[in-house]
Amino acid sequence: MDKYTIFGNPIHHSLSPKIHKHFAKQTGHLISYEKVLAPLDDFEGYVKDFVISGGRGFNVTVPFKVEAYDLSNELTSHAKTAGAVNTVKVEDGRLFGHNTDGIGLVADLCENLGLAIKDKDILVLGAGGATKGILLPLLEQKPARILLANRTKSKALDLANSFSKFGKVCGFGLEQIKDKPVDIIINATSASLDGVMPDIPSGVANGAFCYDLMYGKKTPFMEWASSNGAIRVVDGLGMLVEQAASSFEFWRCEKPDTIDLLSSLKEIAD
Ligand code: ATR
C-alpha cells in the first residue's frame, strides 16, 4: 500500500485524510493517507523520516508551505510562481514540489460553479501567501484584469508587479477601491480569522460573484457580500476538494471525480 500524509501545525481540523481516502476508494488505488502534526522546528526531520519510511507523497499546510518549497529538489511552474508548495511527490528519494491551491480554486469556480473568468474584472483582497498561490491559475483564465487590493499597499504593488508578465494585474491599497461593481471578488485575506471584514466600499459587491478562500463557517466577508447585493456568495470548501483532487492526480496520474464528495461535505457543513 502506497503511503501518503499531510503535515501541518495545527492539523487536527484537516479534512484531507477523509477526502483522499474517498478518492482512493473511488479510483481503486491502494493508498494510506494520515495526518501528522509536525513540530514547528523540525518539519524537515519529519519529511526525511517519511521519505526513509517509503512515503510516496505528501500534502503540506500551514505553516510549512514555504519550507516545503525550500526542501523540494524540483518545482512545477505553479509552485515556483506561488513561492510555496502544498503537494510533494517522492521519486527515488527526490522531492517534486507542486502547488495545487490556485488550480483547485479555478476548478471550483469554472467547473463546479459554472463561472466564466475570461474577460471578467476580478478584485482580489489580500497580498499574502494565499494570494500568491492563486494568481497564476487565475491569470491563465485570461480575465480582463485582476485588481489586487491590500491593507499594506506596497505589498499589493510588489505582487502585481511580479505577476504582470502573466496578465493584467494592478496593485492598490484597500482605501483606493472604488464604490462601483466588479464581476468577481475573492477574499484571500486572513481577516476572517480575526472575525473582521476589511473596510471597503459596499457598492463593489453589487451583482458580484463573491468567494472566500476560507471554509467551515460563514465568514464576515460572506455576511458583508450577502448584505450588499452579491449575486452569489461561496466559501472555499470546493477549492479544498479540488486542490486535493489535483494533488491526487499529480501523485497517481488519475483525476478523481469530486461531485459526490463535495455535495456530501456541503450537506455536513449546512
Ligand atoms: P496567508 O498565507 O493566509 O495569505 P499572510 O501571508 O499572513 O497569510 O497574509 C495575510 C493577508 O491578509 C495579508 O494580505 C494581510 O494584509 P497585510 O499585508 O496588510 O498584513 C491581510 N489581512 C490580515 N488581516 C487583515 C485585516 N484585518 N484587514 C485587512 N487585511 C488583512
Side-chain angles (χ1 to χ4, degrees):
M1 187 174 285
D2 291 341
K3 200 164 80 165
Y4 295 86
T5 194
I6 178 165
F7 294 111
N9 189 333
I11 196 64
H12 61 274
H13 63 284
S14 176
L15 290 174
S16 293
K18 186 183 167 110
I19 294 172
H20 282 284
K21 283 172 187 169
H22 177 96
F23 290 159
K25 197 170 168 197
Q26 180 203 101
T27 55
H29 287 235
L30 273 180
I31 70 164
S32 66
Y33 188 109
E34 307 302 329
K35 54 186 167 193
V36 171
L37 179 75
L40 295 176
D41 60 357
D42 195 25
F43 172 66
E44 183 173 357
Y46 271 55
V47 168
K48 282 190 174 146
D49 287 349
F50 177 74
V51 171
I52 288 165
S53 74
R56 297 288 301 271
F58 55 93
N59 283 126
V60 183
T61 188
V62 177
F64 300 121
K65 291 185 186 181
V66 176
E67 265 187 84
Y69 175 96
D70 291 336
L71 280 178
S72 295
N73 301 103
E74 285 189 41
L75 295 163
T76 63
S77 60
H78 285 97
K80 275 185 202 155
T81 50
V85 157
N86 79 331
T87 307
V88 174
K89 180 163 59 178
V90 184
E91 269 175 15
D92 301 327
R94 290 175 64 75
L95 306 183
F96 292 80
H98 187 26
N99 192 310
T100 64
D101 287 330
I103 296 170
L105 170 66
V106 168
D108 193 34
L109 289 173
C110 300
E111 291 161 30
N112 300 336
L113 300 164
L115 187 69
I117 294 176
K118 190 166 186 309
D119 297 330
K120 297 283 166 60
D121 271 347
I122 308 178
L123 172 64
V124 175
L125 304 175
T131 300
K132 232 175 144 185
I134 63 173
L135 280 178
L136 178 63
L138 285 174
L139 287 166
E140 285 172 341
Q141 298 300 310
K142 307 264 181 264
R145 52 191 183 147
I146 293 183
L147 308 167
L148 192 59
N150 194 45
R151 179 174 60 182
T152 310
K153 182 179 165 185
S154 59
K155 279 168 69 180
L157 292 175
D158 290 348
L159 204 54
N161 194 30
S162 62
F163 277 83
S164 58
K165 57 180 174 284
F166 301 112
K168 192 153 170 45
V169 46
C170 323
F172 301 92
L174 289 178
E175 70 291 349
Q176 292 176 292
I177 297 175
K178 297 211 170 73
D179 197 15
K180 60 177 202 188
V182 294
D183 300 308
I184 302 167
I185 308 178
I186 297 171
N187 182 28
T189 71
S190 53
S192 298
L193 292 176
D194 304 324
V196 295
M197 167 62 201
D199 185 18
I200 63 172
S202 55
V204 77
N206 195 13
F209 189 110
C210 293
Y211 194 103
D212 200 321
L213 300 192
M214 302 226 165
Y215 64 90
K217 62 176 181 189
K218 206 159 190 209
T219 65
F221 167 79
M222 293 169 75
E223 307 273 7
W224 170 87
S226 299
S227 54
N228 285 295
I231 195 170
R232 184 111 192 243
V233 182
V234 183
D235 76 2
L237 186 64
M239 173 178 171
L240 175 80
V241 171
E242 294 299 337
Q243 62 78 31
S246 188
S247 296
F248 191 93
E249 185 181 18
F250 184 62
W251 294 324
R252 311 293 305 180
C253 300
E254 181 171 354
K255 179 107 196 287
D257 206 60
T258 53
I259 300 293
D260 291 349
L261 177 65
L262 192 48
S263 37
S264 71
L265 288 175
K266 274 187 180 150
E267 264 169 39
I268 295 168
D270 285 344

